[in-house]
Amino acid sequence: MAETLLIVGVKHLGRSLALHFARLGWNVACASRTGADVASLAREVEVAGGRGLGVVADLAEPDSCAALVEQCRGRFGAVNLCVAAQTAGGRFGPVPFLQVTGDDLRRSLAGYPQNSLHLLQAVLAVQVTQGSGTFVQIGTSSGLRPRDGFAALGAAQHALRALTLVAARELRSQGVHVAYLAVEGQIESEKSQGYVARNGLGRTLPPAEIARAVQYLHEQDKRSWSHELALKPAETEWT
């Protein structure tokens, strides 16, 4: 029987992850707040060789997360792997500390730890009942170390990492694998072409390799689970 991926966040990286598992013959439930986006990706999943389902969901609402999980189970029977690849929006790039606003911080905290708490609780409750399952939270380098200009993102990502690792500790004994996957660099995409032109491919991460990392985490033997994994481009400073 095919396994089922629930992917939240369907643009760019989320799309690459969905299509990676579709090509392996998985069922893929695609979720975001935009109906056209999830419907389009669900069709791409079908073309790639999987079975697709598009679900409109809002991570800010616990009931919406619960309904999302139930729709996934109703269609495919289980949630074997969930990947949270959401973004919080807001200002992009570094912001000097003295210019960070309360809205910047609130948006980051809501978009990451608060929303992921709702999704984690909805998915993990089902996976505990199943007695198995994997939840991978995509994070950033700001979750591992403070960075100049990224106060709001760093605060939210540190909280997100802590939330994920507490869930990992508590649910490991119940057969559920929770992991924080830090993507420590620019991801190759149409949006990053200018960055690649300036810096070269050695300073970016291929989305296909991020997908392989997610697959690796899911396929690990439970006797040696990784609960935290960081991916870093080859030509960036090691700190």
Side-chain angles (χ1 to χ4, degrees):
M1 181 180 295
E3 292 195 274
T4 298
L5 164 68
L6 171 56
I7 179 78
V8 179
V10 300
K11 291 185 177 179
H12 310 303
L13 178 59
R15 176 177 177 273
S16 296
L17 293 172
L19 295 180
H20 172 87
F21 285 94
R23 287 189 285 269
L24 298 177
W26 279 49
N27 309 313
V28 181
C30 316
S32 84
R33 290 180 296 180
T34 306
D37 290 343
V38 296
S40 175
L41 183 54
R43 289 192 294 269
E44 289 189 75
V45 165
E46 298 275 349
V47 172
R51 295 172 62 204
L53 171 66
V55 182
V56 175
D58 186 351
L59 298 190
E61 302 294 335
D63 289 346
S64 182
C65 291
L68 164 63
V69 174
E70 286 309 306
Q71 287 185 65
C72 182
R73 291 180 72 201
R75 175 72 178 275
F76 299 128
V79 181
N80 304 106
L81 168 63
C82 179
V83 180
Q86 81 271 28
T87 58
R91 290 194 281 179
F92 179 77
V95 177
F97 186 83
L98 295 180
Q99 296 177 23
V100 175
T101 69
D103 187 61
D104 291 333
L105 183 58
R106 283 189 293 271
R107 186 188 295 270
S108 287
L109 290 171
Y112 293 113
Q114 180 175 301
N115 283 0
S116 278
L117 173 64
H118 301 156
L119 183 64
L120 276 159
Q121 289 179 330
V123 171
L124 297 182
V126 167
Q127 291 184 334
V128 166
T129 300
Q130 294 173 178
S132 64
T134 306
F135 187 108
V136 177
Q137 174 66 60
I138 303 295
T140 72
S141 57
S142 291
L144 302 178
R145 65 190 64 82
R147 298 177 58 204
D148 292 2
F150 292 89
L153 178 63
Q157 285 286 324
H158 270 67
L160 179 62
R161 176 176 175 238
L163 190 76
T164 305
L165 295 180
V166 169
R169 291 174 65 93
E170 291 189 15
L171 298 178
R172 178 186 176 97
S173 63
Q174 299 182 64
V176 178
H177 183 188
V178 183
Y180 180 80
L181 176 59
V183 177
E184 293 201 74
Q186 183 78 39
I187 300 171
E188 290 176 28
S189 70
E190 292 183 2
K191 290 180 62 177
S192 68
Q193 287 179 350
Y195 181 90
V196 171
R198 293 190 303 274
N199 298 282
L201 286 173
R203 297 181 68 85
T204 61
L205 287 163
E209 290 305 305
I210 301 171
R212 278 168 29 95
V214 171
Q215 183 181 348
Y216 161 73
L217 288 167
H218 178 64
E219 294 178 350
Q220 283 184 314
D221 188 301
K222 67 183 301 181
R223 295 172 298 173
S224 58
W225 277 344
S226 301
H227 297 294
E228 187 168 83
L229 183 64
L231 304 180
K232 181 184 288 290
E235 295 178 12
T236 54
E237 181 181 355
W238 188 273
T239 55

